[in-house]
Every structure is written in structure tokens, then in C-alpha cells.
Amino acid sequence: MGKGLVDAFGRTISYLRVSVTDRCDLRCFYCMPEAFNDYEVPDNWLTFAETERVVGAFAALGVNRIRLTGGEPLVRHGLPALAGRLAAIPGIDDLSLSTNANRLARDAQALRQAGVRRLNVSLDSLQPRRFQLITKGKLEKVMAGLMAAKEAGFAPIKINMVVMQGINDDEVLDMVEFCLTHGFTLRFIETMPMGHTGRSARDAHYISLQTIKARLAERYNLLPSIMDGGAAQYFTIGDTGLRIGFITPVSQHFCATCNRVRLGVDGTLYLCLGHKHSVALRPLLRAGISDEGLQSTIRKALWLKPREHAFNDRNTQVLRFMSMTGG
Ligand code: SAM
Ligand code: SF4
């Protein structure tokens, strides 16, 4: 067993986000260009067995939390089966999923039974017309998915809302009420300059979450709170029990406590969302690398992890879309 994965800045990596596809059945304008179809070819997707091996290597090195993401993970066929295989790996004690919930009504029960405990669901608007403008999808399908998730017993269910000036910032209070009604946790996210879609969304619609927090504080009593050591800063609203998180990668980055790395669908290990540093694991897997060799490669890769992202540096171009790196 390894002694834990530590990077050059002393940060311990305990969390791996696994992108199981770069495809998506929605088109959130800040994430993917509408006509985008430059996807990875299936031959280059890690197979379930390869994904299991990589996750096993990370688990042997002390990683205990896995999040399945994408693209939209539910468009990958057989996702509940993969989830079951990953949940069974010794050392993995937290398996979660990020989804747009568009197909969740179909898969919620199977995923819960496979061992996925926690769910993050993207939801940027509660208005059908506006939801359609932002995502090109149908709100009713997502709502059906969310209710199926509630029924299946995922806990917590976190709603992720990318807050954009002039697009949905007037829905912040409605979203609070919606989450209070259903017992969901709510997290607000700032737009990030990922790919040219994220860059232009940020330029046109960026709003600092400090502004949103100030607006909420006028209406509610926000009490500082803690939740599962992630990237968000949490508050509870009075004595309601509703937790609200603020994810502020741009206005207040949290790189100093970053505990995560990302695996792309093609087996590329990305060390930071905001930089190009990466290591291609697929060729090594397909060339028959041993478990020890794989673990040693991962350990060495960690030394490439940069100190912090460069989202505020306009000269730095991050060409990948969020859907490619695994959001
Ligand atoms: N399809 C799934 C979903 O939407 O939850 C999982 C992948 S998605 C890339 C993960 C998260 O990234 C979503 O909450 C989405 O809103 C967020 N995201 C995508 N592009 C973004 C951007 N430019 N800025 C901020 N958040 C972004
Ligand atoms: Fe798809 Fe998620 Fe990107 Fe929206 S944010 S386009 S749902 S991957």
C-alpha cells in the first residue's frame, strides 16, 4: 500500500473525478458549443476494465472518493454496472455522480443500488422556456429525474446552479425556495473561462458570487456551515437546515486546498482544470503496464500539478471545454 498521494505543494490528493464520456445530451451554452461534435472516438474510451484498473491504482495510493462525471455520464451505456464495479474496489468509500438529470428517471434506482450515494445535479433555471434557452433541453425531464433521485434515496442531492448576470441571477431566491421544499442542498457556481464558450459566457454574464451572497443576506440569516470538505463555502439559512454553497473559482480560488485530479474518458490524467498539465495513461494501460508501474506513474504525475489555476490571467488560454476535462 502507498503512503498517500502528495503533490509538490504538500497537498494530499484523495479525490478522483472520472469522466466516463465527453458526449452530452444537452448543450449548456457556457459549456459546449451548440454544433460541437468533435468527440473522442469509442476506441479511445477507457473500457470499464481499464477504468477499474486506474481507479484501483488510485485507491491503493490512498484515494477514497470517486465522482463520475462527463460530459453527461448517463449517456455512457451501462453506467450503473461501472458504478457497481468501482464501488466494490477496496478503499473506495464514497462514490458520487454529477449529472444533468435528463436521463435520471431511467437510471436512478439502478445507480443507487450500484452504490452511488451522493448526487450533484445541474439546474440553472426553474422556468421551462429559460431552461430550454440555456441548455436546449426540457425542464420537465430533468424534474422527473430529480424526483426519481429523491425517491431512490440519494443523500445529499446537491443542485448546482451556474449564476449568470442577466440570464438567471433573478432566480436565486426561487431556487432557494425550491431546494427548501425538496430538502436539496443548493450550490451557486461562478462561470469559468473553460474553452471559448466558457470564456464568452464569463465575459458577457459573469457575476461575482459575493454579490449573490450579499443579496441573500438581506433576506435570510446566513450561518457559516461545513459540508464534506469540497470546494464550496457553505452557509445554512437560519434554522431551516438548508445548506447553500458558494463555489467561487474566479473571485476567491481554493487552489491551496485542492485535493483532486481528473481522469478524461480517453485515459488522460489532468492535474488541474485550469492548465494543460496531463499524463496519458491509456497507452501505458494498453501496452501492459504493471499495477506497480501504474501507481508509480500516477505518483510522478502528481509532481506536475500546478500551484493554482490561471483563470484570471487573460493571456492564458485554456482550450479544453469543461465537458472534455470532466467537470
Ligand atoms: N453533465 C453533468 C452536469 O451538467 O452536471 C456533468 C458534467 S458538467 C461539465 C459539470 C459541471 O460543470 C456542471 O455543474 C456545469 O454547470 C459546470 N460547468 C460547465 N461549464 C462551466 C463553466 N464554463 N463555468 C462554470 N461551470 C461550468
Ligand atoms: Fe452537458 Fe453538463 Fe456541459 Fe451542460 S454542463 S452541456 S449538461 S456536460
Side-chain angles (χ1 to χ4, degrees):
M1 274 303 226
K3 293 198 192 71
L5 272 178
V6 181
D7 76 0
F9 303 99
R11 296 171 295 194
T12 299
I13 305 305
S14 56
Y15 183 19
L16 176 68
R17 297 173 73 106
V18 177
S19 173
V20 294
T21 180
D22 56 351
R23 294 169 192 238
C24 188
D25 49 356
L26 297 185
R27 279 292 178 282
C28 306
F29 76 89
Y30 51 78
C31 180
M32 259 197 222
E34 197 175 335
F36 185 81
N37 64 0
D38 186 16
Y39 297 118
E40 194 56 71
V41 296
D43 279 353
N44 290 345
W45 301 349
L46 288 196
T47 63
F48 286 181
E50 287 167 338
T51 306
E52 199 177 357
R53 263 200 87 197
V54 175
V55 172
F58 272 97
L61 292 166
V63 166
N64 66 340
R65 296 174 64 193
I66 302 291
R67 173 172 296 278
L68 299 171
T69 182
E72 172 47 40
L74 296 186
V75 307
R76 178 88 186 245
H77 290 295
L79 186 73
L82 175 64
R85 287 167 74 161
L86 301 185
I89 293 175
I92 299 302
D93 48 43
D94 179 36
L95 182 63
S96 58
L97 172 74
S98 287
T99 175
N100 60 29
N102 202 32
R103 302 183 189 203
L104 196 54
R106 181 195 69 187
D107 286 339
Q109 290 287 349
L111 286 163
R112 184 69 195 91
Q113 276 159 20
V116 178
R117 282 196 305 130
R118 304 189 296 116
L119 219 55
N120 286 2
V121 174
S122 291
L123 184 63
D124 297 333
S125 175
L126 296 166
Q127 301 175 15
R129 174 98 186 97
R130 191 182 276 183
F131 182 85
Q132 205 260 337
L133 284 173
I134 297 172
T135 69
K136 300 280 176 290
K138 285 203 164 60
L139 183 62
E140 64 195 61
K141 278 191 76 185
V142 168
M143 285 297 167
L146 257 176
M147 295 312 134
K150 197 173 156 185
E151 177 113 2
F154 290 95
I157 297 175
K158 295 181 186 169
I159 302 295
N160 284 341
M161 176 184 188
V162 176
V163 187
M164 293 164 285
Q165 180 129 42
I167 301 280
N168 63 353
D169 61 319
D170 59 343
E171 283 194 70
V172 160
L173 294 178
D174 291 349
M175 205 60 97
V176 169
E177 293 300 323
F178 173 75
C179 289
L180 263 173
T181 304
H182 292 285
F184 300 147
T185 296
L186 175 58
R187 307 194 312 166
F188 299 118
I189 306 179
E190 286 176 345
T191 41
M192 287 179 257
M194 300 289 297
H196 60 76
T197 48
R199 173 80 68 189
S200 54
R202 183 186 164 205
D203 287 349
H205 305 293
Y206 174 74
I207 179 166
S208 163
L209 291 187
Q210 313 306 330
T211 312
I212 301 297
K213 201 189 296 172
R215 268 191 219 165
L216 286 174
E218 281 172 16
R219 167 101 174 230
Y220 303 108
N221 186 17
L222 298 181
L223 306 168
S225 164
I226 296 175
M227 199 172 183
D228 62 29
Q233 190 193 8
Y234 282 101
F235 295 85
T236 46
I237 289 204
D239 55 7
T240 62
L242 174 70
R243 283 207 184 82
I244 301 193
F246 295 84
I247 304 183
T248 55
V250 180
S251 67
Q252 278 182 317
H253 71 69
F254 31 79
C255 304
T257 54
C258 184
N259 62 352
R260 63 199 57 188
V261 291
R262 294 175 158 82
L263 183 68
V265 64
D266 63 346
T268 303
L269 181 61
Y270 294 102
L271 285 314
C272 174
L273 201 50
H275 283 280
K276 60 182 183 312
H277 306 72
S278 64
V279 172
L281 298 180
R282 190 186 74 246
L284 307 176
L285 292 165
R286 295 196 180 167
I289 192 169
S290 66
D291 287 346
E292 294 70 34
L294 186 56
Q295 288 174 33
S296 150
T297 303
I298 292 170
R299 257 192 207 291
K300 283 189 204 134
L302 255 279
W303 289 83
L304 297 175
K305 188 169 168 62
R307 185 194 289 271
E308 58 192 38
H309 67 63
F311 289 151
N312 291 317
D313 178 356
R314 290 207 59 90
N315 297 321
T316 311
Q317 276 280 332
V318 179
L319 292 172
R320 294 188 311 265
F321 297 110
M322 187 74 118
S323 56
M324 293 164 87
T325 314

